[in-house]
Amino acid sequence: GAVVSQHPSWVICKSGTSVKIECRSLDFQATTMFWYRQFPKQSLMLMATSNEGSKATYEQGVEKDKFLINHASLTLSTLTVTSAHPEDSSFYICSARLPGHNQPQHFGDGTRLSIL
Amino acid sequence: AQKITQTQPGMFVQEKEAVTLDCTYDTSDPSYGLFWYKQPSSGEMIFLIYQGSYDQQNATEGRYSLNFQKARKSANLVISASQLGDSAMYFCAMSRGETGGGNKLTFGTGTQLKVEL
């Protein structure tokens, strides 16, 4: 069964709207979660590392004021795309790692964001 | 810096045959983890198999096995007895540190696999 839940699956909204995407770890605590972005037929690009109780660490070239990340609890990280524009349309996907040795990162089902 | 290279943009395989998806990597870290994920057209990322840099034996998970050749810096995925449901995009990924831990993943560009009747 799923270990990471992501919501919503699809978002279609007007330009200028802010959109919040949630990533939840199910039945385990995740001090670190990751947010990725994927354009059609391309690989996953890490946007930021979400750290519980502290500021997110953003990858080079990712605007922190544009992509707000909040990791207020050990099971929830949120990504808010502020004042979204058509170029922000993409597939956004989060991941978290199960605790324990040699555990991989598990991914949410992703969110397809379309800005009109 | 870490780098993952997948040189096969697309692969075809007949049902019930085995297929190898190539992955080479480059890193200066002494300890790292190697992962394979499957992404169907629906978009979710499904974890398939993991290999730690210090693991002596190649990892296996059901029909998936990882052909780890450390000296060549390759971590090829072998899928045996291919099924139609195996048709998907496959990504090779690497982490710093063997456990993968809280460390971020670097992904390859992926290989689109199509299984044919």
Side-chain angles (χ1 to χ4, degrees):
Chain A
V3 296
V4 176
S5 171
Q6 189 171 338
H7 178 81
S9 302
W10 286 84
V11 180
I12 302 174
C13 59
K14 293 181 179 179
S15 185
T17 307
S18 291
V19 178
K20 181 185 283 188
I21 303 169
E22 294 186 347
C23 181
R24 294 182 184 273
S25 57
L26 303 178
D27 300 323
F28 72 98
Q29 295 179 338
T31 55
T32 304
M33 293 184 178
F34 301 91
W35 287 96
Y36 296 83
R37 183 174 183 175
Q38 186 180 29
F39 290 106
K41 300 191 185 301
Q42 293 190 23
S43 187
L44 277 72
M45 298 300 296
L46 180 68
M47 297 175 67
T49 303
S50 176
N51 304 300
E52 188 271 333
S54 65
K55 291 182 180 179
T57 305
Y58 289 82
E59 295 299 301
Q60 192 172 5
V62 178
E63 299 176 60
K64 59 181 69 176
D65 294 331
K66 175 72 171 177
F67 300 100
L68 298 179
I69 291 173
N70 185 280
H71 195 152
S73 79
L74 286 169
T75 60
L76 174 63
S77 174
T78 60
L79 168 68
T80 301
V81 183
T82 61
S83 187
H85 292 285
E87 58 266 29
D88 298 323
S89 298
S90 189
F91 185 66
Y92 294 87
I93 191 165
C94 69
S95 72
R97 177 182 162 267
L98 285 167
H101 186 62
N102 283 354
Q103 290 293 333
Q105 288 185 27
H106 288 272
F107 287 79
D109 286 346
T111 298
R112 295 193 188 279
L113 175 62
S114 294
I115 308 298
L116 305 176
Chain B
Q2 297 185 324
K3 185 177 180 182
I4 292 280
T5 301
Q6 293 180 255
T7 58
Q8 306 154 314
M11 289 280 287
F12 289 90
V13 65
Q14 294 242 306
E15 195 182 19
K16 300 179 186 177
E17 297 290 310
V19 63
T20 298
L21 306 183
D22 294 341
C23 173
T24 58
Y25 61 91
D26 191 21
T27 182
S28 55
D29 296 324
S31 173
Y32 50 89
L34 294 158
F35 305 79
W36 278 92
Y37 287 87
K38 171 185 178 182
Q39 188 179 41
S41 56
S42 49
E44 71 268 30
M45 292 286 284
I46 302 167
F47 166 71
L48 297 178
I49 197 166
Y50 162 82
Q51 180 86 41
S53 56
Y54 291 118
D55 291 344
Q56 295 295 315
Q57 292 187 324
N58 287 344
T60 60
E61 287 287 349
R63 293 187 299 111
Y64 304 109
S65 60
L66 200 151
N67 184 359
F68 180 45
Q69 298 191 35
K70 196 170 182 177
R72 294 185 178 183
K73 292 189 175 180
S74 72
N76 298 340
L77 176 70
V78 181
I79 305 174
S80 62
S82 297
Q83 302 172 355
L84 294 177
D86 294 334
S87 295
M89 181 71 91
Y90 288 80
F91 288 101
C92 180
M94 165 184 271
S95 69
R96 276 194 167 139
E98 201 172 31
T99 65
N103 297 324
K104 55 191 180 183
L105 294 176
T106 301
F107 284 86
T109 50
T111 296
Q112 182 72 49
L113 176 67
K114 180 144 177 67
V115 181
E116 300 175 313
L117 290 169

